[in-house]
Amino acid sequence: MKIIHKDYIRGGPGSVKMIPDEADDMWIAYNLITKGDYIHALTVRKVMREASSGRKDVERVKLELEIKVEAVDYEKEASLIRLRGKNTSENEHVKIGAHHTLELEVHRPFVLRKNVWDTLALDMLDQAADPAATADLAVIIMQEGLAHILLVGKSVTITCSRIQVSIPRKHGGAVSGYESALKTFFDNVTQAFLNHVDFDVVRCAVIASPGFTKDQFYRHLLLEAERRQMTYIIKNKSRILVVHTTSGYKHSLKEVLDAPNIMNMIKDTKAAKEIRVLDEFFSMLSNDSDRACYGPKHVEIAHERMAVQTLLITDELFTSADVATRKKYISLVDSVKSCGGSAHIFSSLHVSGEQLAQLTGIAAILRFPLPDLDDIVM
């Protein structure tokens, strides 16, 4: 995400002009924009024009509008955000107060104005602006002909690069073509690796795949480093780990994060802490269920009784269209901390956040058992 201009007060009003660079940036923007915010962007409006002959024609006119957001929709496949709201800016084609729909797309700038830039929004904005600066882990998830380079950070997981090369089948006279295509593929992944992975920031880099692709690429990377005297790679080769996954697609990131040798490398990072806390919650739910609860009602009651030791909550709950709901969950996090508990905000862009979302997005590990919570209807 490119941040063009910032003018805000932390915890107060202000605006940010930004340009989404890729699909993941659209998801971050979707999580930043809430009901009551203001969006200024270029849009297209159908305008009725009357010719001197009296004939009326419909013309599509490009114009800039600012709307006060009333509803936000995200189309994952198209990487598109659709915003509905009322126009707040003077314009010859759209009256102030008239309803309009804005569509935000990759590479199209827009200005987001908020009445309150809270801590969660600012943290997400900082990470989006430079994911590499706060990344804990770099991961290459691959299979023959396909690779994804991911940066796992404190708030989001960013796909930095997707490399795809057609690899012919390895048999008969096609062997030379196979080897040539595989080398081209590995060369492309190596270049992407050099462009996006900074060992001054990340703890380690992981190469993961089913089969032997990971091992072949690891050897290719080290040979290229020796041949081209890439001291950057050579001096950090002990921090490049190889892990088996069942596929070369992004969902295999969970397998990478579950690997014991990876956990040891990133054990004090946010991603690792989230995984450990979630594992602890599921263990408590199985072995001592009276000291674990999930769902908004149960967690709120547990907190009222000063029983919440560890709060687990997804960032999606902070993007509720209802401003009061957003404030409620931010207040809950602050209150749990002030009572001596801990709060872990799980990113919906992390695998652990997806798991928590399946349990309503909020859960808690309790200081003491509350067996009667099960009798309360959620």
Side-chain angles (χ1 to χ4, degrees), residues 24 58 71 80 208 238 248 250 276 281 317 319-320 369 372 378:
D24 285 346
V58 175
L80 177 77
S238 63
K250 289 193 289 185
R276 285 200 301 272
F281 168 77
L317 294 180
T319 61
S320 169
D372 62 323
M378 293 179 64

Side-chain angles (χ1 to χ4, degrees), residues 96-293:
I96 290 180
H99 281 87
H100 186 77
T101 299
L102 281 178
E103 291 186 348
L104 305 182
E105 299 174 323
V106 175
H107 305 308
R108 283 181 55 190
F110 66 92
V111 176
L112 168 60
R113 181 160 64 91
K114 286 178 172 288
N115 291 323
V116 178
W117 281 91
D118 58 45
T119 303
L120 181 71
L122 292 174
D123 286 348
M124 190 176 295
L125 188 67
D126 289 343
Q127 171 101 18
D130 188 6
T134 53
D136 296 320
L137 182 69
V139 182
I140 303 175
I141 298 179
M142 64 195 313
Q143 61 191 41
E144 282 193 359
L146 177 66
H148 298 87
I149 296 184
L150 313 173
L151 288 178
V152 180
K154 292 176 175 59
S155 300
V156 295
T157 297
I158 300 292
T159 304
C160 296
S161 185
R162 183 179 188 273
I163 302 100
Q164 191 162 15
V165 172
S166 178
I167 308 286
R169 299 185 67 178
K170 183 181 178 181
H171 61 78
V175 171
S176 61
Y178 166 84
E179 292 175 347
S180 175
L182 190 63
K183 183 181 183 304
T184 298
F185 171 58
F186 284 165
D187 285 342
N188 291 346
V189 178
T190 298
Q191 190 57 52
F193 182 93
L194 294 173
N195 290 343
H196 297 291
V197 178
D198 183 355
F199 279 109
D200 290 336
V201 177
V202 300
R203 305 298 181 91
C204 65
V206 181
I207 303 169
S209 81
F212 298 106
T213 306
K214 59 187 182 302
D215 307 287
Q216 291 173 295
F217 175 69
Y218 178 69
R219 288 194 295 270
H220 177 90
L221 180 65
L222 294 186
L223 285 171
E224 282 296 294
E226 293 287 350
R227 186 179 69 83
R228 294 160 56 183
Q229 290 298 298
M230 294 187 291
T231 55
Y232 168 76
I233 298 294
I234 296 168
K235 72 178 182 180
N236 288 297
K237 67 179 182 181
S238 63
R239 295 164 64 188
I240 302 174
L241 308 179
V242 176
V243 173
H244 173 80
T245 54
T246 54
S247 88
Y249 291 89
K250 289 193 289 185
H251 63 77
S252 292
L253 179 60
K254 183 180 185 303
E255 298 173 59
V256 173
L257 295 176
D258 283 341
N261 55 336
I262 306 304
M263 285 294 288
N264 287 335
M265 292 287 283
I266 63 168
K267 58 187 176 183
D268 58 344
T269 66
K270 183 176 183 292
K273 289 174 183 175
E274 287 181 359
I275 294 165
R276 285 200 301 272
V277 168
L278 194 62
D279 287 343
E280 183 183 349
F281 168 77
F282 281 120
S283 176
M284 191 70 76
L285 196 62
S286 299
N287 302 317
D288 190 3
S289 60
D290 290 342
R291 284 194 56 208
C293 66

Side-chain angles (χ1 to χ4, degrees), residues 17 19 37 39 63 88-90 114 119 129 136 176 184 235 266-267 288 337 341 344 361 375:
K17 183 176 182 179
I19 303 176
D37 290 346
I39 296 291
L63 47 90
T88 62
S89 57
E90 289 283 354
K114 286 178 172 288
T119 303
D136 296 320
S176 61
T184 298
K235 72 178 182 180
I266 63 168
K267 58 187 176 183
D288 190 3
K337 289 180 178 178
H344 296 265
D375 300 328

Side-chain angles (χ1 to χ4, degrees), residues 53-123:
S53 62
R55 178 183 172 182
K56 293 182 178 180
D57 294 316
V58 175
E59 182 182 351
R60 293 171 64 85
V61 177
K62 284 187 177 182
L63 47 90
E64 290 189 16
L65 284 184
E66 181 183 78
I67 66 168
K68 184 176 183 180
V69 177
E70 295 180 348
V72 188
D73 293 317
Y74 176 66
E75 293 187 11
K76 184 177 181 180
E77 297 303 320
S79 296
L80 177 77
I81 299 172
R82 185 170 288 110
L83 307 164
R84 294 187 296 279
K86 291 181 180 178
N87 178 39
T88 62
S89 57
E90 289 283 354
N91 192 281
E92 64 174 304
H93 301 298
V94 186
K95 294 179 181 179
I96 290 180
H99 281 87
H100 186 77
T101 299
L102 281 178
E103 291 186 348
L104 305 182
E105 299 174 323
V106 175
H107 305 308
R108 283 181 55 190
F110 66 92
V111 176
L112 168 60
R113 181 160 64 91
K114 286 178 172 288
N115 291 323
V116 178
W117 281 91
D118 58 45
T119 303
L120 181 71
L122 292 174
D123 286 348

Side-chain angles (χ1 to χ4, degrees), residues 288-337:
D288 190 3
S289 60
D290 290 342
R291 284 194 56 208
C293 66
Y294 61 89
K297 187 68 174 177
H298 285 178
V299 171
E300 286 169 23
I301 292 172
H303 179 54
E304 288 171 4
R305 299 179 185 181
M306 302 292 289
V308 175
Q309 177 64 48
T310 306
L311 177 68
L312 298 77
I313 186 168
T314 64
D315 57 11
E316 283 188 322
L317 294 180
F318 296 101
T319 61
S320 169
D322 181 11
V323 176
T325 300
R326 179 185 176 97
K327 288 182 177 178
K328 180 182 79 171
Y329 285 119
I330 291 174
S331 175
L332 176 63
V333 168
D334 291 340
S335 182
V336 167
K337 289 180 178 178

